[in-house]
Amino acid sequence: MTDRTGGRSPEAEARAQDEVLPTDPSEPLPRLRRELATGPDGLSAREAARRLAVHGPNEVRREEHPSFARELVRQLVHPLALLLWAATALAFVADLAVLGWAILAVIAVNASFALLQERQAERAVETLARYLPERALVVRDGKPLTVEARDLVPGDVILLEEGDKVPADARVTEGGVEVDLSMLTGESVPAERMAAAGLLGAPLLEEPNLVFSGTTCVEGQARAVVFATGHRTELGRIAALSQRTRREASPLERQVKKIAWLIAGVATGMGVVFLVVGVAVGLPVTDSLMFAIGLLVANVPEGLLPTITLALAVGVRALARRGALVKRLSAVETLGSTNVICTDKTGTLTRNRMRLRALWTPGHGAEPGPWAAELVRTAALCTTVTQDADGEPHGDPTEAALVAAADERGDPVDPDRRDAGRLALFRFDPRLRLMSVVQRDERAPGRARIMVKGAPEAVLARLRPEGGGDRARAAAQELAEGGMRVLAVAVRDLATVTERPSRRQDAESRLTLLGLVGLYDPPRSEVEAAVRRCHEAGVRVHVVTGDNGATAAAVAREVGIGLPRLQVVATSETLADDELDRLLTDDDAEIVFARSSPETKLKVADALRAHGRIVAMTGDGVNDAPALHRAHIGVAMGRSGTDVAREAAAMVLTDDDFATIVTAIESGRRVYDNVRKFIVYIFAHATPEIVPFLVFALSAGAVPLPLTVLQILAIDLGTETLPALALGRERSEPGIMERPPRPPHQGVISRDMLVRSWGYLGLTSAVLVMVGYFYVLWRAGWQPGDPTEAGSPLHHAYVTATTATFAGIVTCQVGTAFAARTDHAALRAIGVLSNPLLLAGIAFELAFTAALVYAPPLQRLFGTAALPLDVVLLIMTFPVLVWGTDELRRSWRRRHGPLSATGSVPPWSRRKGG
């Protein structure tokens, strides 16, 4: 066996022995096949299973996760953690060692909690690979078979075509493809790879007959034999896939981190100001430091970032179960602000189950006869579909429908026999909207026939002058207005096979029209309701399709697109930029961009972005990748889409269904709303935690400190966290898809949220807990300035009063949690008991509070005392009062306020019934 280093680096030559290729892929094909023990028809299923056990799965080894220590350090220097570090330092400076160690414990527990949540989020995204495994078309037992790419083994014969990702390193044995090798070589120009002899001494990557795992086919068709899989591939050996990039923070997380720095700055400033004020009014330095520490700790919303990460990850998992695989956490929040969907027609709005519905021939119209049989057979021969192991057509659904139509008429087309008689193939070109083949004439040996099929206007423009295209155009328009996809089929006979043209333009000229075929693809039943929900949600829907304008418009109207007005652009490629801008700024119209090329999609995406729209764009082809990249949310088809499109997209639809996009938008809105609910819940508790320290400072110590720092830590860490997490999993609020999309520049925290958190919920809670505190003191006979320190007659009453403050804040949390569950709707609209996780979190926080209040060991640690029955009954009213106050506020807003905080409703969201 020859050792080929191909001029690679010394590091590459120094690979371990088990990494060296067991075969030389450039040696003559017969010898390569012998060494791989395979043949032109591939392996048997049993042999493939044996080799899989020997060679292992076709997967590249992954780099390990970042070290635990590095992740821990990242959590410990978060701005909110830095705030707690400052509080710790103050505690030790003030000789409050017990408090200092307690805050250190809080830092450690909070960092551990954050790490746990982030790892859960990572696992949620990684498990998406199970929903959409890479696939490969392989020949097993002589038949094409679709298998998971990880099951490929050396010796397998694979079939490659335009849009496929190459699943393993392989030698091309038949046909040819153009391959994008940029990920391996850095060259942006695709390289041609074909069945040819190797170059002596050339590096592997320059061999003209080799394709490599992870690269993509941008054109052509080929058959290849696999010579390396898994870590033995070129990609595996240079570790191109093992360098996993870190998860980037989403815009939402970046906003929240800015808010965290703001909180840290405000808390530090407040602490410094009141420390100075406390000393100035005569408070002991220790008391002033205690006050500053309390402010710092009270302002720290523990679990803010990990809870947001978890909420996004939960949204990703929920969407995966419903057929939408979101590849980035950040895409979930972007979905929530999407206000325009640009969708394909075939397979997305329709079922992608084409059936021949009508025929038309120049001399006989729609009458049946032998001319119709010739038309159907010619159309079926001008295809590239293959058959899988079950005999089912594999390929483009339109072409599969033509093959099926020939079969139904008793004149089946065998793909192998078709290909054996094929002299030339000019594949479908989306710009020309044509494909053509040169086929041996079955009726006259030695002769050939050029067969062309494509868009009527493209084919009719290439007829002989006397071709009679006017009647055909009228017939095509009539079929298209019936919602059918119309193809024209034309031929030209050649006297001998040697006359076959080598250039496409020569083949597709001077044609004779055989007729028109009308294919019908019925709309999906669920699309009409999904479009109606889009309209109610203020989301416009445009159709960008390569199909005829009349056909696309008929389907659009059938599913409700275009209310109140549908604008049809018949030839989108010729649309000028100023005309496109005018169309897209017309808020009363939805548009069908017919006869669109992939470049049209990119132009539409660019124009919509320029006008400030948030765009979701669907696509499935290789050339759709730029538009999918350019759109805010690129949506690829999981079934019919190419590997290139799926890789370029932010979201993949496993069911290719338009309704799933609408579901994803709703989920994005729900996740964003839940993050805001969590923030409202967290921020609402800052006010009742800070007010006791303000009362203490402003009274110059005449009112003893109503809350201890350890009790704040117990609230923020012990009672607050689980309900907050449960709010991150709240179901959609009623009417969520009846609101206009949120503006993309809208921050996660709005003025309205702060007023609600600190003003309504926070101030109500603060008043209630201070009422509870003073009630306990006054019932014991306390007057302002009376001593309450240890050993004084009022000390037990003071401890009971601080316990009442602590328990009062916890019970106010319960009311805040129920209030925060909705932003607009009444609680009864979503059900009081509809979030079992929240109920469990509330049960835990009440049990935890009871333990701190009544368990003697915890009483000594946290400075609490058992509460008398009348105080317990008073505190039990707090949840209802907090929730009821906010319920009245929301009720007033529903009657008098705007639908959302934005206060704007786009015109298209006011349509009745979509």
Side-chain angles (χ1 to χ4, degrees):
M1 183 178 64
T2 307
D3 178 23
R4 288 176 49 87
T5 63
R8 281 167 284 183
S9 65
E11 291 80 7
E13 295 178 25
R15 295 180 181 119
Q17 186 63 33
D18 70 338
E19 299 284 334
V20 176
L21 288 175
T23 56
D24 179 2
S26 67
E27 61 191 359
L29 186 58
R31 184 186 303 172
L32 178 64
R33 280 177 170 156
R34 280 199 306 273
E35 291 194 10
L36 292 171
T38 188
D41 291 332
L43 306 173
S44 67
R46 296 168 103 187
E47 176 62 20
R50 281 193 291 269
R51 294 191 185 190
L52 184 62
V54 173
H55 295 279
N58 178 32
E59 295 176 328
V60 177
R61 292 169 181 166
R62 294 182 176 229
E63 193 177 68
E64 294 297 321
H65 285 289
S67 68
F68 178 81
R70 185 185 302 174
E71 290 293 308
L72 183 61
V73 168
R74 189 168 65 87
Q75 294 296 336
L76 295 178
V77 296
H78 185 273
L80 300 181
L82 293 176
L83 207 58
L84 292 177
W85 283 114
T88 304
L90 287 175
F92 283 112
V93 166
D95 199 22
L96 301 170
V98 174
L99 179 59
W101 287 113
I103 300 175
L104 282 176
V106 170
I107 295 172
V109 172
N110 195 46
S112 302
F113 172 76
L115 281 175
L116 175 65
Q117 298 303 338
E118 288 204 0
R119 288 295 168 92
Q120 283 187 350
E122 285 179 6
R123 284 197 294 271
V125 177
E126 288 174 357
T127 54
L128 296 184
R130 295 203 304 267
Y131 289 91
L132 192 70
E134 299 273 349
R135 300 275 180 179
L137 187 60
V138 62
V139 178
R140 296 262 173 91
D141 296 312
K143 293 287 187 181
L145 178 69
T146 300
V147 301
E148 290 190 23
R150 71 187 305 275
D151 293 337
L152 289 179
V153 294
D156 262 328
V157 172
I158 57 175
L159 304 178
L160 301 172
E161 58 185 33
E162 178 182 342
D164 286 348
K165 180 184 286 184
V166 179
D169 286 7
R171 163 85 173 264
V172 177
T173 60
E174 296 177 34
V177 289
E178 286 193 3
V179 185
D180 179 3
L181 297 174
S182 57
M183 65 183 299
L184 295 177
T185 65
E187 293 289 339
S188 58
V189 179
E192 191 174 30
R193 294 291 185 260
M194 65 189 76
L199 299 176
L200 184 63
L204 284 182
L205 291 177
E206 295 179 13
E207 284 285 8
N209 53 18
L210 300 185
V211 291
F212 300 95
S213 175
T215 61
T216 51
C217 299
V218 296
E219 192 173 330
Q221 278 183 317
R223 181 178 287 231
V225 59
V226 173
F227 63 82
T229 59
H231 67 277
R232 293 177 184 269
T233 63
E234 191 71 15
L235 192 61
R237 292 199 309 274
I238 66 175
L241 286 186
S242 64
Q243 303 302 319
R244 298 186 63 207
T245 57
R246 289 179 57 84
R247 179 184 67 82
E248 292 185 5
S250 73
L252 178 61
E253 290 173 306
R254 287 196 291 271
Q255 282 188 45
V256 171
K257 197 157 190 176
K258 287 182 181 178
I259 292 162
W261 281 112
L262 177 63
I263 292 171
V266 170
T268 303
M270 289 175 63
V272 170
V273 168
F274 283 103
L275 176 62
V276 173
V277 170
V279 172
V281 297
L283 286 176
V285 174
T286 301
D287 289 351
S288 298
L289 283 174
M290 177 75 78
F291 169 71
I293 294 169
L295 279 178
L296 291 178
V297 174
N299 274 285
V300 176
E302 284 85 359
L304 185 62
L305 280 181
T307 300
I308 289 172
T309 303
L310 184 64
L312 294 174
V314 168
V316 167
R317 279 179 169 171
L319 283 173
R321 288 193 294 269
R322 302 181 73 171
L325 308 185
V326 179
K327 294 161 62 178
R328 300 190 305 269
L329 286 181
S330 59
V332 178
E333 67 175 274
T334 308
L335 281 163
S337 59
T338 297
N339 50 31
V340 177
I341 299 174
C342 295
T343 177
D344 289 319
K345 178 184 73 70
T346 304
T348 309
L349 299 179
T350 63
R351 296 181 182 278
N352 206 13
R353 295 176 185 168
M354 289 283 187
R355 290 293 180 267
L356 184 63
R357 193 177 201 182
L359 296 170
W360 181 90
T361 55
H364 306 87
E367 296 177 15
W371 43 84
E374 182 186 10
L375 171 60
V376 173
R377 180 164 184 80
T378 303
L381 285 170
C382 190
T383 61
T384 57
V385 294
T386 58
Q387 284 184 338
D388 59 22
D390 298 325
E392 294 295 322
H394 174 84
D396 180 74
T398 301
E399 294 192 342
L402 296 173
V403 172
D407 189 41
E408 290 166 2
R409 283 163 172 74
D411 193 11
V413 170
D414 177 57
D416 294 332
R417 187 177 174 187
R418 175 204 64 196
D419 292 346
R422 183 163 289 172
L423 302 173
L425 165 67
F426 300 103
R427 302 182 68 83
F428 178 76
D429 187 317
R431 287 170 291 273
L432 298 176
R433 301 193 296 279
L434 291 171
M435 81 160 285
S436 55
V437 297
V438 183
Q439 203 79 14
R440 291 183 186 274
D441 197 327
E442 298 171 332
R443 302 163 300 179
R447 302 184 67 179
R449 169 173 269 200
I450 298 172
M451 303 173 178
V452 181
K453 81 171 193 305
E457 58 268 35
V459 174
L460 296 178
R462 288 163 172 79
L463 297 182
R464 292 180 293 122
E466 66 276 14
D470 291 340
R471 286 186 297 117
R473 288 186 182 89
Q477 181 69 15
E478 185 177 346
L479 293 175
E481 288 173 354
M484 283 177 272
R485 181 175 189 183
V486 185
L487 298 176
V489 181
V491 297
R492 188 170 92 238
D493 291 318
L494 303 175
T496 64
V497 296
T498 57
E499 291 184 15
R500 68 179 186 270
S502 58
R503 299 191 309 165
R504 180 170 202 145
Q505 56 266 43
D506 295 333
E508 296 168 349
S509 63
R510 295 176 289 115
L511 302 172
T512 299
L513 182 67
L514 282 187
L516 307 173
V517 293
L519 301 162
Y520 185 67
D521 184 12
R524 294 175 181 266
S525 58
E526 63 275 16
V527 169
E528 185 176 1
V531 170
R532 185 162 53 249
R533 293 179 70 206
C534 282
H535 291 163
E536 291 169 353
V539 179
R540 300 173 76 188
V541 183
H542 302 314
V543 181
V544 188
T545 177
D547 216 336
N548 174 274
T551 304
V555 172
R557 290 190 179 99
E558 193 169 347
V559 299
I561 295 173
L563 295 177
R565 186 162 56 87
L566 184 68
Q567 184 87 23
V568 180
V569 180
T571 53
S572 303
E573 286 187 16
T574 60
L575 195 64
D577 287 346
D578 56 346
E579 179 65 12
L580 179 61
D581 290 339
R582 186 189 64 77
L583 286 170
L584 293 177
T585 52
D586 182 357
D587 289 341
D588 288 329
E590 289 175 324
I591 308 164
V592 170
F593 294 97
R595 295 303 185 207
S596 296
S597 66
E599 290 78 10
T600 307
K601 284 190 173 183
L602 181 59
K603 190 158 70 169
V604 170
D606 274 333
L608 285 168
R609 288 184 69 113
H611 291 294
R613 306 287 198 264
I614 305 298
V615 189
M617 172 78 72
T618 70
D620 55 12
V622 176
N623 293 334
D624 288 334
L628 295 179
H629 271 302
R630 187 63 179 149
H632 296 90
I633 297 290
V635 183
M637 302 298 112
R639 291 179 179 174
S640 61
T642 60
D643 292 334
V644 178
R646 287 196 289 266
E647 193 157 298
M651 184 170 76
V652 179
L653 304 183
T654 58
D655 53 7
D656 293 10
D657 190 352
F658 176 85
T660 306
I661 303 175
V662 184
T663 300
I665 290 175
E666 179 179 0
S667 182
R669 292 188 176 193
R670 178 181 62 82
V671 168
Y672 192 82
D673 281 359
N674 286 350
V675 169
R676 291 166 71 98
K677 290 171 186 176
F678 163 76
I679 292 174
V680 166
Y681 174 77
I682 291 291
F683 278 25
H685 304 143
T687 306
E689 289 176 0
I690 291 172
V691 164
F693 290 90
L694 295 179
V695 170
F696 166 69
L698 295 176
S699 68
V703 176
L705 195 60
L707 189 66
T708 69
V709 175
L710 282 177
Q711 288 168 355
I712 291 178
L713 294 178
I715 292 168
D716 289 351
L717 195 66
T719 68
E720 187 174 78
T721 305
L722 290 182
L725 288 175
L727 286 173
R729 297 192 178 205
E730 192 67 54
R731 66 175 60 182
S732 296
E733 187 172 340
I736 193 172
M737 290 297 281
E738 297 172 8
R739 307 198 310 253
R742 64 178 173 86
H745 54 77
Q746 182 188 72
V748 66
I749 296 181
S750 65
R751 180 182 58 83
D752 187 67
M753 285 174 62
L754 294 179
V755 169
R756 184 186 183 195
S757 297
W758 292 337
Y760 289 97
L761 294 168
L763 195 57
T764 301
S765 299
V767 169
L768 291 174
V769 298
M770 292 311 298
V771 165
Y773 174 73
F774 285 119
Y775 171 75
V776 175
L777 286 179
W778 284 331
R779 71 196 287 275
W782 171 85
Q783 295 294 325
D786 288 350
T788 56
E789 65 273 5
S792 66
L794 291 173
H795 178 66
H796 180 73
Y798 167 68
V799 172
T800 304
T802 59
T803 305
T805 305
F806 163 69
I809 291 177
V810 172
T811 54
C812 286
Q813 280 182 327
V814 175
T816 300
F818 279 107
R821 291 184 63 195
T822 64
D823 187 30
H824 305 287
L827 181 60
R828 65 177 180 276
I830 61 170
V832 178
L833 306 179
S834 60
N835 188 340
L837 287 174
L838 179 62
L839 299 178
I842 289 172
F844 170 81
E845 72 173 330
L846 293 178
F848 182 77
T849 301
L852 263 63
V853 171
Y854 294 104
L858 295 176
Q859 286 178 339
R860 288 190 293 272
L861 179 62
F862 287 93
T864 58
L867 295 175
L869 180 60
D870 59 331
V871 177
V872 171
L873 292 175
L874 173 65
I875 290 173
M876 285 175 60
T877 65
F878 290 0
V880 177
L881 293 172
V882 172
W883 163 78
T885 301
D886 192 70
E887 187 77 10
L888 291 173
R889 183 194 68 87
R890 280 180 282 123
S891 175
W892 187 89
R893 281 173 58 85
R894 285 195 298 274
R895 290 194 302 270
H896 305 288
L899 185 61
S900 73
T902 63
S904 61
V905 182
W908 61 87
S909 71
R910 302 190 191 111
R911 302 168 185 158
K912 295 182 180 179

